[in-house]
Amino acid sequence: MNTTRPTTRTTARTTQEWQAADAAHFLHPFTDFQALAKKGSRIITRADNIYLTDSEGARILDAMSGLWCVNVGYGQQALIDAATRQLQELPFYNSFFQTTTPPAIELAELLAQVSPPGFQHVFFSGSGSEGNDTVVRMVRRYWDLQGQPDRQVIISRWNGYHGSTMAGASLGGMAYMHAQGGLPIPGITHIEQPHWFLHGRPKGLSREDFGKQAAGWLEQKILEVGPDKVAAFIGEPVQGAGGVIVPPETYWPEIQRICDQYGILLVSDEVICGFGRTGRWFGCETMGTRPDLITFAKGVTSGYIPLGGVLVGERVAKALIEQGGEFEHGYTYSGHPVACAVALANIRLIQEQKLVERVHDDLGPYLADAFRELSAHPLVGEAQTCGLMGALQLVKDKASGSGFAPELEVGMLCRGHCFGNGLIMRAVGDRMIIAPPLVMTRAQIDEMLALIRLCLDLTLADLQSRGWLA
Ligand SMILES: *Cc1c(COP(=O)(O)O)cnc(C)c1O
């Protein structure tokens, strides 16, 4: 086979041609390369608003906003224009060596306006993972500057997701990630997640009491490690990749109280929850915490171009600025002018279209009502939403809440029915999750829900015909 295709080729290939070239050269993230090569990738070729088109011409409702990021939907001209203009004017310059560019300055200024009180500074990265690498560097630098260099340990949670670099994957609590490559790196330790359903909906314990108990695991860990050795606690306001796990309302206030009591820094990883997803600009506002650092990425540009970073609260900023001298850390693309120009256009669009208010006042409650109805479905053991994200826990026995054997991969089965019927919904084990674009209309939410219901019914029938369900 002749593998030297002209690089200028512009005519579309067939799906089979795309798949062959993909299998031959492209190692996808979080993928069994060999298995995918056999099966062939799905090729997405276009998108508009909340709908994708694949190389076969199928139209698919994207209830995952790409990968939790396309909050303003696809095809927004303001973002496209901002990128085009900036590419023409100044496609790149760095922010090292006492220099920077107007979009980076303006974005820093605008972020300070939309952030919770006390956040006046930002450090830019190229992604959420890099943002969390910055968090580790910054947290440890902060304690050095306080004359407490022994405060090195960062506590995070099992089944949390904080990215895929060495630090990001270490902070994260995905055991299957730790199993490859000798993670976590030293000085990172984990506690159990506030997952009411996973913990068996403990009898005699209300959700609220469970929330306090789960927060108490942080205090236990602090005492175990030694309070003078703990630097910070990091968590997602709502765990995203872990399965859209919405903690009981009592959880975060109790975490805040514990962090305050022991003087440790609180880091809110808002790579998913930031920029309106939970119905406030940041998830910490929904959960009622006052973090010291906020990691962001994804929704800051609605995924149109990579950008991430860390919002730095007063306490840490003051130390770094007034006592710190040079901070020996940064990325070539820290404050990339094109990425910052797109972020500016994206945030202004969110403001103009009042998307945060819309999620808070209208779409969030509307989705919550619909999920309450879905919880009556025979396969659904728990239905949760927060703003415009939601989870459906699939169970074998609704009354007891007992699930399917993991090796049956019922979640993947359901996901297959979704794909087959023009809906992107993700499976985390047997938990089906959504995080649709914030620009949806109520009619589009209805359309999405009709598809979800259809796919649940198809999954139910499928399970019955396989004899996996009575
Ligand atoms: C996606 C994600 C990250 C990692 O971001 P990347 O841009 O993929 O590096 C970190 N934290 C959370 C909460 C995320 O959802």
Side-chain angles (χ1 to χ4, degrees):
M1 202 177 106
N2 178 13
T3 54
T4 55
R5 285 182 179 282
T7 51
T8 51
R9 175 170 176 153
T10 52
T11 52
R13 307 184 193 184
T14 65
T15 300
Q16 289 72 25
E17 286 174 326
W18 284 125
Q19 288 173 333
D22 179 58
H25 303 291
F26 185 6
L27 303 176
H28 296 210
F30 289 95
T31 294
D32 177 336
F33 308 127
Q34 197 169 37
L36 181 64
K38 258 192 217 126
K39 187 168 170 234
S41 294
R42 172 184 292 266
I43 318 290
I44 302 297
T45 52
R46 303 188 67 81
D48 187 47
N49 186 230
I50 65 164
Y51 303 99
L52 308 169
T53 306
D54 72 12
S55 54
E56 295 291 289
R59 182 176 187 259
I60 309 157
L61 192 158
D62 183 10
M64 277 308 296
S65 304
L67 203 49
W68 319 88
C69 48
V70 188
N71 289 358
V72 299
Y74 300 92
Q76 290 283 5
Q77 199 57 42
L79 277 65
I80 299 163
D81 290 344
T84 308
R85 260 199 316 273
Q86 191 56 44
L87 281 165
Q88 287 164 343
E89 231 165 73
L90 180 70
F92 179 75
Y93 202 75
N94 69 71
S95 297
F96 287 44
F97 318 128
Q98 310 186 355
T99 309
T100 189
T101 64
I105 300 169
E106 277 190 59
L107 179 59
E109 196 176 32
L110 184 57
L111 285 170
Q113 282 169 28
V114 301
S115 301
F119 285 88
Q120 288 299 316
H121 296 89
V122 60
F123 195 98
F124 288 118
S125 69
S127 70
S129 301
E130 286 179 2
N132 282 326
D133 277 50
T134 297
V135 160
V136 173
R137 299 286 306 273
M138 230 176 228
V139 158
R140 291 182 176 168
R141 179 74 184 137
Y142 170 81
W143 286 113
D144 277 350
L145 292 170
Q146 301 309 302
Q148 299 183 55
D150 288 344
R151 281 207 192 238
Q152 291 273 316
V153 177
I154 302 174
I155 301 173
S156 62
R157 300 174 302 177
W158 292 115
N159 200 37
Y161 187 79
H162 299 295
S164 194
T165 53
M166 294 292 279
S170 295
L171 291 170
M174 302 302 184
Y176 55 89
M177 289 173 75
H178 293 176
Q180 298 180 352
L183 302 181
I185 57 172
I188 292 172
T189 184
H190 300 79
I191 60 172
E192 267 303 329
Q193 56 184 325
H195 194 331
W196 166 249
F197 200 88
L198 186 90
H199 283 92
R201 302 182 288 177
K203 294 236 174 335
L205 201 61
S206 66
R207 249 185 87 85
E208 286 66 34
D209 289 343
F210 171 75
K212 284 203 178 146
Q213 184 189 74
W217 298 331
L218 173 60
E219 186 161 26
Q220 280 172 26
K221 185 59 97 175
I222 292 171
L223 295 173
E224 185 191 312
V225 172
D228 53 346
K229 295 207 167 48
V230 179
F233 174 72
I234 184 170
E236 304 154 83
V238 175
Q239 286 156 262
V244 182
I245 295 143
V246 186
E249 279 181 22
T250 47
Y251 179 76
W252 278 110
E254 183 65 5
I255 291 280
Q256 179 74 60
R257 187 194 67 71
I258 294 165
C259 288
D260 289 345
Q261 183 180 336
Y262 293 93
I264 70 175
L265 296 172
L266 176 59
V267 186
S268 195
D269 184 340
E270 305 250 2
V271 170
I272 287 175
C273 292
F275 302 96
R277 175 61 60 195
T278 69
R280 302 290 297 269
W281 275 91
F282 290 90
C284 57
E285 297 167 294
T286 300
M287 298 299 156
T289 56
R290 290 168 282 100
D292 296 290
L293 299 170
I294 293 175
T295 319
F296 66 91
K298 297 191 173 116
V300 68
T301 56
S302 284
Y304 279 47
I305 199 162
L307 178 71
V310 182
L311 299 171
V312 185
E314 220 167 278
R315 179 178 167 194
V316 176
K318 196 167 151 55
L320 290 176
I321 295 165
E322 292 179 10
Q323 307 161 246
E326 184 158 319
F327 184 44
E328 308 295 350
H329 175 66
Y331 308 103
T332 300
Y333 300 133
S334 289
H336 192 291
V338 181
C340 290
V342 173
L344 279 166
N346 178 61
I347 294 171
R348 286 176 185 144
L349 189 78
I350 294 172
Q351 289 176 320
E352 282 158 22
Q353 299 197 352
K354 298 201 182 319
L355 294 182
V356 181
E357 293 82 352
R358 207 161 125 198
V359 172
H360 184 271
D361 300 336
D362 184 34
L363 297 182
Y366 192 69
L367 183 70
D369 282 346
F371 263 50
R372 222 164 281 131
E373 278 172 36
L374 273 182
S375 67
H377 193 278
L379 269 185
V380 176
E382 179 186 56
Q384 284 197 305
T385 66
C386 178
L388 227 52
M389 58 205 305
L392 300 168
Q393 183 81 42
L394 305 185
V395 292
K396 186 171 182 179
D397 179 21
K398 211 173 161 72
S400 69
S402 66
F404 295 95
E407 59 272 19
L408 298 181
E409 300 198 334
V410 170
M412 293 297 276
L413 195 80
C414 180
R415 196 185 73 165
H417 287 295
C418 295
F419 274 160
N421 287 279
L423 173 69
I424 301 242
M425 182 154 68
R426 181 164 156 188
V428 177
D430 291 346
R431 212 170 160 86
M432 304 308 298
I433 60 178
I434 57 162
L438 313 185
V439 290
M440 282 184 121
T441 61
R442 279 189 175 210
Q444 287 175 325
I445 291 188
D446 291 343
E447 183 191 344
M448 173 180 77
L449 286 160
L451 285 170
I452 292 175
R453 208 173 263 288
L454 168 72
C455 295
L456 287 173
D457 290 344
L458 289 171
T459 305
L460 181 66
D462 195 347
L463 291 170
Q464 283 164 340
S465 75
R466 288 165 193 254
W468 294 352
L469 200 63

